[in-house]
Amino acid sequence: MSIIEAHGLTKVFRRPVKREGLGGSVAHLFTRRYSDHVAVDGIDLIVEEGEAVAYVGPNGAGKSTTIKLLTGILVPTAGEIHVGGVVPHRERNANARQIGVLFGQRTQLWWDLPVRDSLGLLRDLYDISDADYRARLAQFDDILELGELMPIVARKLSLGQRMRADLAAALLHRPRVVYLDEPTIGLDISVKDRVRAFLRELCADGTTLMLTTHDLGDIEDVCQRIVIIDKGRKIFDGTIAEVKDGFARQRQLHVDFASPVDPASLAALLPEAEIEAGIDVPAQGPHRDFTLRFDRFRLTAGEVMTALLSVGEVADFRLDEPAIEDVVRRVYAGDLRLAAEASR
Amino acid sequence: MRRTIRLYRRQLGAHLRAALQYEADFWILIGAAALMQVVGVVFLGAIFAKIPELNGWTFWEVVVVYAMVSIAEGVGSLFFEGTWRLARKINQGEVDYLLVRPYPVTLQVMSSEIGLNGIGNIVVGSILLGLGVARSDIHWSAGNVLLGILLLVSALVIKVAISLGTNAGSFWIPGPYSVVGYGIHQVGELARYPITIYAIGVRLAISVLVPFAFVSFFPVAVLLGRGGSGRLGLLTPAVAVYCVLAARWAFNRGLRRYEGAGN
Amino acid sequence: MRKYLTLARMQARSVLAYRLNFVLSLFALMFQLFAMLAIWGVMLGSGRNLNGFDWGHMRAYLLVGFVCGALVSQGADFRMAGRIQDGMVAVDLTKPVDYQRARFAEVVGGAWTELATALLVCAGVLLLSGPVPWPGVPDLALFALSLVAVLPLKFLIVYMSGLVCFYTQNYLGVHWARLIIVSLFAGALVPLSFFPHWLQYLAAVLPFASMSATPALIFVGQLHGGKALALIAVQFVWVVALWLLARLIWRHAITRVTIHGG
């Protein structure tokens, strides 16, 4: 059985509708009208042990709600979940021991206690042995430089420091499944790199990771799989490569010619490419720098370069890789949902 | 079970260590709380100087009732202060983390803070209790001693249970602090005095609706052998059980609402 | 002057927004009042008279005490303490506004709701327990004058206890200490004449009696004419003295501004 199995996961929030004006308020006292907000709509999710899954979508897509359903914080309106063989919202204790959670916006540290005491309390709550605890702390000290944070009271930590401590707190008890909601906010790049390396190692050791993030570096560096949701529905579920192939097909090549070149001649050679002239633009006429956009399954970079070299002397060029950024941007712009629906 | 208690003590201990960092505040808090109890009794003394008894209760007997509330509040503050922070936790979404830890949410909430002022309440309350009991007409047989202990424990349980149950109102009425909790807590001030001084409506309210009277008046009435009230006082342990069940029910319903509606 | 009026108005508006908050803060006072009414009711019930108080006069006395207690009760000191503790006071100190006057303006803004609500509670009590003896016109005028002095006086006490927050980390203990001292020496729940003589002498040299006992005693007729005027004068003297004292303390306090938090 897969470590996370969710079928038809649905969460509907009932909100009472407040009506306008005095008449509305009075009416509200007698008859309640509710509006149903479907936050999560029939999501199927199967995650195998050791996978690292990026869970992506625009704000309000239902990411946090899904995570809360998977962790047992919310009870689903419909559908089934099993995590590690356990139904999270029913067997809370058993589920708690096998999962670790990090909500980036909130801390789980005790606000008025030094970090050392918070971790000590967690050690006791999760029944971690002394030896294991010390080993874990040493590991965290290595990657997150946790040692320097230990004596500091939680409320005095800066955002970056707090994130590091919260990461340690979430992973202290070697959970089988880890849910991370925006885990690298506020971290500087060197710590981010180390954290990502650590997360990769965790996966290699068999820990399952579910990562909600807006940070694209996290996605590319840590996860092999990406699930995209929008308006409560899953619109993509596959590997990073697949999603790029499917939705980030466009590559960009910027080229500087030694002497001006007529865009028409370029267009004639590369009819399938989108050609854009450089910054200072006279309406038509020759140019030195261009940006070409092409579908990488229709044209190879090689073909484009060949065409360019045949037109004039190339002084400089730059090739942009298909990026998750493009996918995500399109999702956030709603493009992806339309594309997914169109392709069905 | 032992693990549950051990972990509870550990959490309180961590907060105690943190609080002890601020020595001046520590003493001011305890001193102020202690002084508040004393001043209340000074008021009583001033009133009783003119008239020796209140509805058949002597000064020291009233002090015993007063002291019970002091001690109950002290125990609540010292060991269960976190209850009063529930509203803030809900407000700031901190309950989510509590739900994914392998330990009962109620206990996590209650142990999340320590109210050092409770030491002041308990110390002064105990002294007042001792003085009052010594100067009252109580026959201390072995049976009565056991009964007294049982009543004391029951009274404390009732107070803590009422705090938990009323603070659970925050699951329905959000805000930075618990309106229901604080509001009803103030009503409890009425139980510092023999409730026979109040109109029947008030008496019913603080005996049946929110049984504050079983924290102080009725248990004391038992030991003083006050007829009808004394007999009702024997119900105190049963009231304690009822309050615990009611509080747990309220808290769990609140949690379920939280899990249903999110925040 | 206009900026202080604005502050006052803003506070008045925010009080209405936090209605529930305010009513709750009054709850503590209310239930203390109810308990004391019950006790005194029994003590004075059968037509007794203690220290010149019969049941009617005692009720009036307690109600006046309640109204005085309701003034400046919405936590102006907690607001101050909060801003000092999270460092936002630094922003307040950079504004071209006199800190003390600004806090007073805020208190004045909130005073209307406090007064109105307190009077409502009094009305309720009177409805349930029957009317109280009303003072004659001259005494009523003196009473009104005395009441005017209560607001700034109470503000200064609350303000100065808030200033203590520049010196400590935790405000709660200080707040309670103030409540105790004030409740003991203001004579709101138990008239000072019931206390031993040494306590009464102590109360006479402290400003707290001027916050509650003086207007209350005037209202129930235990203070007339000359004596009343003298004590009213004492009230105003305290207002001036404490205002100046508070300014001195403030000047020292801000040298200790340490920013807590992040």
Side-chain angles (χ1 to χ4, degrees):
Chain A
M1 183 161 142
S2 327
I3 196 154
I4 299 180
E5 276 196 22
H7 297 290
L9 199 53
T10 306
K11 182 66 184 169
V12 179
F13 290 115
R14 282 215 123 173
R15 297 269 144 82
V17 177
K18 295 214 174 107
R19 278 159 289 179
E20 301 260 337
L22 186 62
S25 302
V26 173
H28 188 65
L29 285 173
F30 292 99
T31 55
R32 289 291 166 92
R33 257 193 249 142
Y34 292 96
S35 77
D36 282 344
H37 168 60
V38 184
V40 173
D41 193 353
I43 289 193
D44 296 323
L45 191 62
I46 307 221
V47 180
E48 303 297 332
E49 187 142 23
E51 276 198 85
V53 181
Y55 204 64
V56 178
N59 286 329
K63 300 193 297 293
S64 303
T65 312
T66 316
I67 300 292
K68 288 189 188 179
L69 288 166
L70 293 175
T71 52
I73 293 173
L74 287 179
V75 174
T77 317
E80 290 182 1
I81 322 176
H82 293 269
V83 175
V86 157
V87 179
H89 57 93
R90 281 207 212 112
E91 292 163 82
R92 192 174 300 293
N93 264 0
N95 184 50
R97 286 181 191 282
Q98 59 179 3
I99 68 171
V101 185
L102 175 70
F103 293 112
Q105 315 283 11
R106 300 165 263 167
T107 180
Q108 76 156 308
L109 306 169
W110 279 259
W111 201 231
D112 52 335
L113 299 181
V115 174
R116 173 183 299 121
D117 282 3
S118 284
L119 294 178
L121 285 179
L122 288 171
R123 172 199 58 200
D124 289 343
L125 281 172
Y126 287 101
D127 298 309
I128 304 175
S129 76
D130 277 339
D132 201 5
Y133 180 64
R134 265 171 292 159
R136 211 65 171 143
L137 287 186
Q139 218 180 350
F140 291 143
D141 196 19
D142 227 5
I143 305 153
L144 303 166
E145 288 176 2
L146 194 64
E148 67 186 21
L149 301 177
M150 294 297 251
I152 308 179
V153 173
R155 67 165 183 271
K156 297 210 170 121
L157 293 171
S158 72
L159 178 59
Q161 292 174 321
R162 210 210 71 210
M163 289 302 309
R164 283 151 57 196
D166 265 311
L167 264 171
L171 301 168
L172 193 66
H173 55 291
R174 299 185 196 277
R176 278 174 85 192
V177 183
V178 180
Y179 303 93
L180 303 170
D181 189 349
E182 306 281 2
T184 58
I185 290 183
L187 298 180
D188 67 48
I189 190 65
S190 62
V191 181
K192 268 198 212 191
D193 283 341
R194 299 221 292 278
V195 167
R196 291 178 193 157
F198 180 53
L199 293 176
R200 280 200 300 275
E201 236 182 79
L202 275 185
C203 286
D205 275 342
T207 309
T208 312
L209 214 59
M210 263 202 81
L211 189 58
T212 340
T213 182
H214 289 285
D215 184 325
L216 304 158
D218 290 347
I219 302 178
E220 299 231 46
D221 278 4
V222 176
C223 307
Q224 317 98 11
R225 181 169 155 201
I226 179 167
V227 174
I228 306 180
I229 73 164
D230 191 14
K231 306 249 189 331
R233 293 226 189 97
K234 196 165 73 168
I235 54 181
F236 182 85
D237 185 352
T239 65
I240 307 261
E242 280 168 17
V243 79
K244 283 191 196 173
D245 285 350
F247 300 100
R249 303 163 67 105
Q250 212 179 51
R251 279 178 114 175
Q252 276 192 152
L253 189 144
H254 308 270
V255 61
D256 279 337
F257 287 103
S259 42
V261 157
D262 185 6
S265 52
L266 274 182
L269 279 176
L270 298 168
E272 298 192 341
E274 209 182 292
I275 303 174
E276 198 183 284
I279 313 161
D280 43 349
V281 189
Q284 330 279 352
H287 259 292
R288 285 252 281 274
D289 46 299
F290 294 89
T291 300
L292 288 91
R293 287 190 206 96
F294 55 95
D295 184 324
R296 60 195 171 93
F297 288 95
R298 296 262 198 67
L299 282 176
T300 68
E303 287 164 348
V304 172
M305 275 314 293
T306 313
L308 290 174
L309 289 168
S310 76
V311 163
E313 189 186 325
V314 172
D316 196 4
F317 73 95
R318 187 183 88 226
L319 184 59
D320 293 338
E321 284 306 320
I324 279 289
E325 220 168 87
D326 302 322
V327 179
V328 172
R329 203 175 287 127
R330 291 183 62 196
V331 175
Y332 289 14
D335 278 355
L336 217 47
R337 191 164 45 92
L338 299 171
E341 281 172 9
S343 68
R344 257 191 238 130
Chain B
M1 185 56 175
R2 207 179 295 157
R3 171 181 178 268
T4 311
I5 298 180
R6 178 175 49 96
L7 290 177
Y8 196 91
R9 260 185 13 228
R10 280 274 294 135
Q11 292 179 77
L12 282 185
H15 291 291
L16 178 63
R17 273 201 309 277
L20 288 176
Q21 304 268 342
Y22 302 108
E23 258 210 56
D25 296 328
F26 174 77
W27 290 114
I28 294 177
L29 217 57
I30 294 184
L35 222 56
M36 266 204 275
Q37 316 307 315
V38 170
V39 166
V41 173
V42 166
F43 283 163
L44 281 175
I47 300 176
F48 273 88
K50 298 287 175 172
I51 302 205
E53 51 114 61
L54 182 69
N55 272 7
W57 289 68
T58 68
F59 171 65
W60 287 111
E61 290 170 345
V62 175
V63 167
V64 173
V65 176
Y66 190 93
M68 288 292 280
V69 176
S70 296
I71 298 177
E73 238 179 73
V75 167
S77 294
L78 190 58
F79 298 107
F80 303 100
E81 181 73 7
T83 317
W84 300 93
R85 305 283 174 268
L86 175 62
R88 203 191 324 153
K89 277 189 143 56
I90 295 174
N91 216 15
Q92 305 189 331
E94 289 169 23
V95 177
D96 289 349
Y97 276 120
L98 304 185
L99 288 165
V100 297
R101 287 194 195 135
Y103 192 73
V105 179
T106 335
L107 296 181
Q108 288 189 63
V109 169
M110 293 200 284
S111 67
S112 67
E113 192 138 338
I114 193 167
L116 289 173
N117 48 291
I119 298 178
N121 293 48
I122 293 176
V123 167
V124 173
S126 306
I127 294 175
L128 290 172
L129 187 68
L131 288 173
V133 156
R135 287 166 172 71
S136 301
D137 197 14
I138 302 182
H139 175 54
W140 286 116
S141 65
N144 261 0
V145 170
L146 285 173
L147 183 60
I149 295 176
L150 176 63
L151 291 170
L152 180 62
V153 171
S154 305
L156 299 177
V157 167
I158 294 175
K159 178 71 170 74
V160 173
I162 294 179
S163 295
L164 184 65
T166 52
N167 270 284
S170 295
F171 283 116
W172 286 270
I173 307 177
Y177 60 86
S178 174
V179 171
V180 180
Y182 276 106
I184 296 191
H185 176 258
Q186 299 305 342
V187 178
E189 285 299 297
L190 296 176
R192 284 197 184 261
Y193 313 102
I195 67 172
T196 50
I197 62 178
Y198 302 117
I200 184 71
V202 177
R203 263 185 274 171
L204 279 174
I206 61 175
S207 307
V208 177
L209 264 184
V210 193
F212 280 114
F214 282 91
V215 175
S216 54
F217 175 70
F218 284 115
V220 175
V222 174
L223 290 174
L224 292 174
R226 287 291 151 111
S229 305
R231 280 192 291 274
L232 274 176
L234 290 171
L235 288 174
T236 306
V239 174
V241 170
Y242 164 72
C243 285
V244 169
L245 294 174
R248 262 184 69 195
W249 177 84
F251 195 89
N252 285 332
R253 287 272 355 255
L255 258 189
R256 248 185 299 150
R257 183 168 205 276
Y258 185 87
E259 295 163 4
N263 68 317
Chain C
M1 182 61 181
R2 184 148 39 120
K3 50 192 171 190
Y4 299 111
L5 279 175
T6 314
L7 273 172
R9 232 177 323 142
M10 274 170 49
Q11 186 59 22
R13 233 183 294 156
S14 95
V15 167
L16 284 181
Y18 291 97
R19 272 184 302 272
L20 196 59
N21 193 323
F22 163 57
V23 169
L24 225 76
S25 69
L26 217 53
F27 251 41
L29 281 174
M30 271 169 56
F31 283 99
Q32 273 183 322
L33 173 69
F34 296 157
M36 277 301 151
L37 279 171
I39 294 180
W40 284 116
V42 171
M43 290 295 194
L44 298 168
S46 34
R48 265 202 213 108
N49 190 305
L50 295 171
N51 280 11
F53 287 94
D54 63 18
W55 178 219
H57 284 113
M58 185 56 87
R59 258 181 305 145
Y61 185 88
L62 290 172
L63 287 176
V64 173
F66 174 71
V67 172
C68 292
L71 289 173
V72 198
S73 68
Q74 284 172 72
D77 50 350
F78 278 108
R79 274 200 306 275
M80 271 171 70
R83 289 184 79 79
I84 295 171
Q85 276 169 353
D86 62 23
M88 291 291 282
V89 69
V91 175
D92 295 335
L93 294 174
T94 61
K95 298 218 182 103
V97 175
D98 181 277
Y99 190 77
Q100 185 163 326
R101 287 206 206 113
R103 302 285 85 70
F104 183 52
E106 283 168 0
V107 156
V108 169
W112 302 114
T113 358
E114 289 163 343
L115 202 57
T117 320
L119 289 175
L120 244 138
V121 174
C122 290
V125 170
L126 291 175
L127 245 126
L128 288 173
S129 69
V132 292
W134 208 253
V137 172
D139 275 348
L140 204 54
L142 288 172
F143 168 69
L145 188 58
S146 182
L147 213 54
V148 166
V150 169
L151 183 60
L153 189 53
K154 181 127 192 242
F155 157 72
L156 286 163
I157 303 291
V158 171
Y159 175 71
M160 286 198 291
S161 85
L163 284 180
V164 176
C165 228
F166 280 104
Y167 300 90
T168 67
Q169 292 277 2
N170 190 318
Y171 181 63
L172 198 55
V174 176
H175 174 78
W176 283 343
R178 171 182 56 90
L179 282 181
I180 302 164
I181 299 173
V182 169
S183 74
L184 187 55
F185 292 107
L189 297 170
V190 176
L192 292 166
S193 54
F194 283 82
F195 286 114
H197 287 299
W198 60 269
L199 213 93
Q200 294 188 50
Y201 288 145
L202 196 49
V205 298
L206 289 172
F208 308 110
S210 296
M211 277 164 53
S212 179
T214 306
L217 288 173
I218 296 179
F219 193 89
V220 298
Q222 292 205 6
L223 272 178
H224 302 285
K227 273 183 73 184
L229 277 169
L231 283 178
I232 293 177
V234 168
Q235 281 180 294
F236 282 102
V237 166
W238 273 118
V239 170
V240 172
L242 289 180
W243 183 273
L244 295 171
L245 178 62
R247 293 193 84 76
L248 275 174
I249 298 178
W250 182 80
R251 234 181 290 161
H252 185 263
I254 56 169
T255 63
R256 307 230 352 177
V257 170
T258 51
I259 312 295
H260 304 299

